[in-house]
């Protein structure tokens, strides 16, 4: 398959082409998940920085191998790549697996800091541990079924355990669970035994927080048991929680191994902390006495798969309704703004009646009002005077004759007196 140029590379003008992930790992397009993991482990060991110090070519190959594995090991991203190539893969948000043992002290500090801040950092098992297991140079401790063992493993180190089961126990199923009370990070590993007596990593389960404990488990029950890779959607959750909700179950994928054959099987606990060791308890049990739990697990996982399919349909409906809702909210904002503007103009008109100029007009009206009141009072006084004059006239009419008679009498008496006085004088 020819190399494909990613969309970001076209925009950036980069000349370097990415190689097909299948070609990088030397796989066919119909390869299985187990073949992908095996090819990645071999090439990662070959080009690991621990074994190729100061070799830039090996460093580039290690990055390319890791990038290719990150695409093909994720079912959804593999499907997207098969359909549309690198353009369908969001390379910028892809989480790379880091081997903490290959990081310097400063880089480890930064990685731990980002992890504390909630930035998901997916780590891989140290290449040194994998190489020692592959070469058969690890110490394996026998573990009895049903009995727990508690120990402490140092950071970037591993404890190996072997469990031997009979035919009946293999048919009933096997469960391996690990718990840590101090909420430490660790990995539960399962190894296949190679023909050269070496151990090859087959399964890996990262611990997750469940209440006050940190746990990890592997279930070999004779039917497909699913695992939930919570790191698949962690970056999307930080960037877009809404889209992350619809992809929440994308990491729900079946384990590659569903049952174990009779014989000896090897598990390991890998300390995945940045700086400190991990206290843990491991226990392997036969599932013969957990018949109801097996049925419950099968039933609940079937419901989760149904829910995952429903989410895809629901997302389409949700996006349509959300688009309509966005239009309505946009119109709501416009209508609200229009109403506020009209009310503002109305308030301005109301305010125009209370500015300085209209107040002068209002005071002149008050003056004219006072003048009219004064005029009214004057008219009332005139009317009262007229009434008094009228009443006086009426009284005069009644008493007018007597007054005139008395006046005449006075005049006569006066005249008589005058006449008499004159006569006496002469």
């Amino acid at each position: 398959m020819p190399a494909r140029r990613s969309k970001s590379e076209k925009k950036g003008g980069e000349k370097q082409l990415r190689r097909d992930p299948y070609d990088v790992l030397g796989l066919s397009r119909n390869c299985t998940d187990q073949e992908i993991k095996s090819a990645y482990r071999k090439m990662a060991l070959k080009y690991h920085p621990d074994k190729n110090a100061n070799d830039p070519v090996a460093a580039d190959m290690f990055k390319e191998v890791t990038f290719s594995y990150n695409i093909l090991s994720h079912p959804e991203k593999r499907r997207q790549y098969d359909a549309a190539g690198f353009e369908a893969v969001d390379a910028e948000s892809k989480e790379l697996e880091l081997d903490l043992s290959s990081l310097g002290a400063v880089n480890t500090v930064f990685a731990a800091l980002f992890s504390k801040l909630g930035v998901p950092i997916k780590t891989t098992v140290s290449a040194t541990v994998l190489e020692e297991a592959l070469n058969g140079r690890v110490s394996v401790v026998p573990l009895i079924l049903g009995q727990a063992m508690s120990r402490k493993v140092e950071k970037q180190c591993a404890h190996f355990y072997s469990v031997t089961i009979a035919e009946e126990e293999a048919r009933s199923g096997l469960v391996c669970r690990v718990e840590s009370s101090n909420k430490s990070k660790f990995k539960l590993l399962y190894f296949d035994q190679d023909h050269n007596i070496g151990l090859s990593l087959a399964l890996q389960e990262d611990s997750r927080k469940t209440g006050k404990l940190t746990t990890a488990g592997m279930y070999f029950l004779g039917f497909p048991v699913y695992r939930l890779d919570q790191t698949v959607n962690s970056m999307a959750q930080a960037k877009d929680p809404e889209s992350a909700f619809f992809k929440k179950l994308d990491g729900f994928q079946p384990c590659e191994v569903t049952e174990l054959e009779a014989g000896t099987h090897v598990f390991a606990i890998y300390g995945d902390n940045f700086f400190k060791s991990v206290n843990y308890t491991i226990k392997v049990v036969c599932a013969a006495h957990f018949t109801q739990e097996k049925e419950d697990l099968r039933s609940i996982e079937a419901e989760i798969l149904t829910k995952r399919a429903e989410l895809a349909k629901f997302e389409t409906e949700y996006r349509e309704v959300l688009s309509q809702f966005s239009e309505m909210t946009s119109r709501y904002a416009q209508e609200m703004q229009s109403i506020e503007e009209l009310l503002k103009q109305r308030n301005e008109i109301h305010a125009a009646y209370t500015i300085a100029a209209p107040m002068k007009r209002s005071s002149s009206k008050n003056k004219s009002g006072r003048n009219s009141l004064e005029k009214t009072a004057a008219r009332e006084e005139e009317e009262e005077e007229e009434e008094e004059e009228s009443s006086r006239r009426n009284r005069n009419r009644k008493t007018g004759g007597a007054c005139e008679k008395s006046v005449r009498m006075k005049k006569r008496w006066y005249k008589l007196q005058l006449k008499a006085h004159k006569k006496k004088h002469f």
Side-chain angles (χ1 to χ4, degrees):
M1 179 177 178
R4 305 187 185 187
R5 188 190 300 269
S6 68
K7 196 170 185 179
S8 60
E9 288 175 334
K10 290 179 180 180
K11 292 182 178 179
E14 298 178 0
K15 300 297 182 181
Q16 184 179 2
L17 298 178
R18 291 177 179 174
R19 288 200 299 157
D20 178 31
Y22 293 99
D23 292 342
V24 173
L25 298 178
L27 299 169
S28 62
R29 300 188 70 83
N30 58 352
C31 59
T32 64
D33 293 339
Q34 188 61 37
E35 290 174 338
I36 293 173
K37 291 187 175 182
S38 298
Y40 167 69
R41 285 194 295 269
K42 292 178 181 178
M43 297 193 72
L45 287 173
K46 180 179 178 180
Y47 296 108
H48 197 278
D50 287 350
K51 301 178 62 177
N52 301 273
N54 300 323
D55 186 349
V57 176
D60 290 340
M61 282 297 300
F62 182 77
K63 293 179 182 178
E64 188 176 32
V65 167
T66 303
F67 179 76
S68 300
Y69 173 73
N70 286 332
I71 294 177
L72 300 184
S73 62
H74 190 281
E76 180 62 21
K77 289 196 174 293
R78 180 180 177 182
R79 183 190 64 78
Q80 292 176 353
Y81 175 79
D82 290 342
F86 287 114
E87 293 184 358
V89 179
D90 186 9
E92 294 181 358
S93 64
K94 187 70 185 80
E95 303 166 16
L96 296 179
E97 293 182 338
L98 300 178
D99 180 358
L100 297 181
S101 64
S102 67
L103 298 177
V106 175
N107 291 333
T108 303
V109 171
F110 278 109
L113 176 61
F114 282 116
S115 179
K116 287 290 184 181
L117 293 175
V119 179
I121 298 178
K122 194 172 183 179
T123 58
T124 186
V125 180
S126 168
T128 303
V129 172
L130 295 178
E131 187 175 11
E132 290 177 350
L134 192 60
N135 294 328
R137 297 198 302 265
V138 295
S139 176
V140 182
V141 178
L143 195 64
I144 301 175
L145 279 177
Q147 292 187 5
M149 181 175 290
S150 300
R151 294 179 65 187
K152 179 173 69 175
V153 61
E154 298 299 326
K155 57 184 176 66
Q156 285 86 60
C157 295
H159 289 169
F160 289 79
Y161 298 94
S162 63
V163 178
T164 302
I165 58 175
E167 289 287 347
E168 182 179 354
E169 293 166 336
R171 287 193 299 270
S172 299
L174 201 70
V175 175
C176 177
R177 282 186 58 83
V178 182
E179 294 181 351
S180 175
S181 59
N182 59 354
K183 298 184 178 180
S184 298
K185 288 181 60 180
F186 62 88
K187 296 181 186 295
L188 174 59
L189 312 175
Y190 173 75
F191 287 86
D192 283 333
Q193 294 189 13
D194 292 343
H195 298 293
N196 60 353
I197 313 182
L199 300 173
S200 176
L201 181 61
L203 295 176
Q204 171 180 310
E205 184 73 20
D206 291 342
S207 62
R208 63 182 182 275
K209 293 182 179 180
T210 54
K212 296 181 179 181
L213 299 176
T214 305
T215 64
M218 289 184 178
Y219 306 85
F220 309 95
L221 303 176
F223 58 86
V225 176
Y226 286 73
R227 57 185 296 270
L228 180 60
D229 187 356
Q230 296 179 333
T231 61
V232 169
N233 204 27
S234 53
M235 288 294 288
Q237 179 69 34
K239 291 184 176 180
D240 187 358
E242 187 177 86
S243 298
F245 166 75
F246 293 103
K247 300 183 182 300
K248 187 176 182 65
L249 299 179
D250 285 359
F252 194 69
Q253 301 296 333
C255 295
E256 293 82 357
V257 182
T258 60
E259 58 184 339
L260 300 179
E261 298 179 353
T264 301
H265 301 275
V266 178
F267 297 90
I269 309 301
Y270 177 76
D272 204 24
N273 269 4
F274 289 93
F275 301 112
K276 62 181 182 179
S277 56
V278 177
N279 294 301
Y280 68 90
T281 299
I282 181 173
K283 186 176 182 179
V284 180
V285 298
C286 177
H289 302 291
F290 298 91
T291 305
Q292 185 60 48
E293 287 77 5
K294 289 170 64 175
E295 293 302 321
D296 291 344
L297 181 61
R298 190 199 296 264
S299 175
I300 198 68
E301 290 190 340
E303 292 183 19
I304 293 176
L305 291 175
T306 302
K307 182 62 66 176
R308 185 174 66 178
E310 292 176 354
L311 273 180
K313 180 180 179 182
F314 174 57
E315 182 178 11
T316 302
E317 298 173 354
Y318 175 80
R319 297 297 181 190
E320 293 177 354
V321 175
L322 183 63
S323 176
Q324 297 177 1
F325 176 76
S326 299
E327 293 177 0
M328 291 297 101
T329 53
S330 177
R331 180 180 175 183
Y332 174 86
Q334 293 176 359
E335 294 294 343
M336 179 62 71
Q337 183 178 2
S338 176
I339 292 173
E340 292 296 334
E341 183 64 28
L342 292 174
L343 293 177
K344 180 180 178 182
Q345 295 177 7
R346 178 175 176 270
N347 292 336
E348 290 177 353
I349 295 174
H350 284 183
Y353 288 97
T354 59
I355 60 177
M359 288 184 67
K360 292 181 179 179
R361 292 194 297 271
S362 177
S363 62
S364 64
K365 289 182 179 180
N366 292 336
K367 291 181 181 179
S368 62
R370 287 195 298 269
N371 294 334
S372 62
L373 291 175
E374 293 175 357
K375 291 178 180 179
T376 303
R379 284 197 299 270
E380 291 178 352
E381 292 178 356
E382 292 177 356
E383 291 176 355
E384 291 177 356
E385 291 178 354
E386 290 178 356
E387 290 178 357
E388 291 178 356
E389 182 67 21
S390 176
S391 61
R392 190 168 52 251
R393 289 176 181 174
N394 292 332
R395 288 195 300 270
N396 292 337
R397 289 193 191 97
K398 294 179 182 179
T399 60
C403 292
E404 289 178 358
K405 186 181 290 186
S406 63
V407 170
R408 284 197 300 269
M409 290 176 65
K410 289 180 179 179
K411 288 181 178 179
R412 291 174 183 173
W413 176 83
Y414 179 70
K415 290 181 177 181
L416 289 174
Q417 293 295 332
L418 287 176
K419 291 179 176 180
H421 180 71
K422 289 180 177 179
K423 289 180 176 179
K424 291 178 178 182
H425 179 71
F426 290 105

